[in-house]
Amino acid sequence: MNLFHGLQTRGHGDQEVAVPAAHFALLPPIFPELDFWVPAGEGVLAPLTAPAPFSTRRT
């Protein structure tokens, strides 16, 4: 949202990105310094250890 507001609206300790599931496994090798987390259901996140189909979806 900051991009659209033109200013930082809150502190950012994390970043969220939207990536098609078919391309998600491409990110960790490109950004090895980052930790990647995926939805595990019931509002829980799990570390990405291997490409897996997503059980939840945000729109």
Side-chain angles (χ1 to χ4, degrees), residues 15 22 28 38 55:
Q15 295 293 316
V38 294
S55 61

Side-chain angles (χ1 to χ4, degrees), residues 3-43:
L3 175 65
F4 299 106
H5 289 290
L7 57 100
Q8 184 172 334
T9 57
R10 64 174 178 86
H12 295 284
D14 64 346
Q15 295 293 316
E16 294 181 13
V17 296
V19 178
H23 296 136
F24 197 83
L26 300 173
L27 292 178
I30 296 171
F31 301 103
E33 71 279 10
L34 300 178
D35 296 323
F36 288 87
W37 297 79
V38 294
E42 302 297 321

